[in-house]
Amino acid sequence: IGRQYAVAPETIVFFRAAVALLVLLVALATYRPGWLRIQRRDLPLFVAQGAIGIAAFYLSYVYAVHLAGASVAAVLMYTAPVWVTLYAGRFLKERLDRYTLLSLLGALAGAAMVAQVYDPARFRINLAGVSFGLASGICYACYSIFNKQALRRYSPWTVLTFGFMCGLPFLALAQQASDLRYVLSAPRALLWLVALGTGPTLGGGLLYAAGLT
């Protein structure tokens, strides 16, 4: 979408979140209005999920794709299990045996190879993309942790809806009005963004939350 229709990376992630949120709100308001309520004490959790697990994650990942390419960005994003495992060992007291530690080292070594740290010249050129890729992995790990906590009390639909609801204002801060107007005046680009929002974003998010449950 970004290359073919010249849509800014931050505008792509804004629309994918906005489309997914709109579909969720319509669906829940029509069929499960009770799922649109949360307890006030859980609001900070959803704000953290929206700010870090959605807004920061989406922005860092799309910039990683833009700067380093989709394959490098995807591998670095999937360092997320490493950060989740380290968090679980430190704060949830989960046991980290030598096999787990070897697996973590293997994952990080693989990410380092993909980032081409063995070639200083190429690594310097790609440093910004690699940094955004690693940041997306950390943010994705936070997304998993926040989701798991929220799913103890709410359905996947509620968790995803309030995550997008709290994340969208942060994504809006990164927008240029001219970029938004351009997308709204380009039907083909908008059609692809709607497909991105309803398919990978909404469908993938719901399936992932259901799996965490």
Side-chain angles (χ1 to χ4, degrees):
I1 298 172
R3 292 181 179 179
Q4 185 170 352
Y5 298 101
V7 180
E10 57 270 18
T11 304
I12 293 174
V13 294
F14 174 81
F15 273 95
R16 69 179 288 191
V19 168
L21 177 60
L22 180 61
V23 173
L24 283 166
L25 289 174
V26 171
L28 293 186
T30 303
Y31 300 105
R32 289 287 190 275
W35 287 359
L36 288 173
R37 290 192 293 270
I38 62 170
Q39 296 183 26
R40 185 175 299 178
R41 65 174 184 173
D42 293 321
L43 185 58
L45 173 61
F46 284 108
V47 171
Q49 182 200 25
I52 301 172
I54 289 181
F57 166 55
Y58 280 9
L59 288 170
S60 58
Y61 182 67
V62 77
Y63 281 130
V65 171
H66 181 68
L67 295 170
S71 58
V72 173
V75 170
L76 293 176
M77 180 188 72
Y78 283 109
T79 59
V82 174
W83 316 123
V84 172
T85 303
L86 293 175
Y87 173 88
R90 176 64 179 84
F91 296 103
L92 302 181
K93 307 304 179 184
E94 291 188 6
R95 183 169 173 265
L96 300 180
D97 57 27
R98 65 175 181 272
Y99 299 107
T100 303
L101 293 175
L102 284 172
S103 298
L104 297 183
L105 288 174
L108 291 175
M113 296 295 286
V114 169
Q116 297 179 320
V117 296
Y118 53 82
D119 187 341
R122 291 184 65 87
F123 181 68
R124 281 196 298 272
I125 294 172
N126 223 16
L127 183 59
V130 170
S131 299
F132 278 116
L134 287 173
S136 73
I138 294 171
C139 292
Y140 193 30
C142 293
Y143 175 81
S144 300
I145 293 166
F146 295 146
N147 254 14
K148 186 65 176 177
Q149 293 177 358
L151 287 167
R152 293 172 181 170
R153 292 187 289 276
Y154 302 101
S155 77
W157 292 80
T158 302
V159 171
L160 200 58
T161 299
F162 279 90
F164 282 129
M165 197 180 297
C166 293
L168 200 61
F170 292 99
L171 289 172
L173 295 175
Q175 305 306 309
Q176 297 288 336
S178 58
D179 291 332
L180 298 177
R181 287 195 298 268
Y182 168 73
V183 169
L184 293 174
S185 64
R188 289 188 177 181
L190 187 58
L191 181 63
W192 278 109
L193 289 169
V194 169
L196 178 63
T198 54
T201 305
L202 178 56
L206 288 172
L207 290 171
Y208 185 73
L212 282 176
T213 303

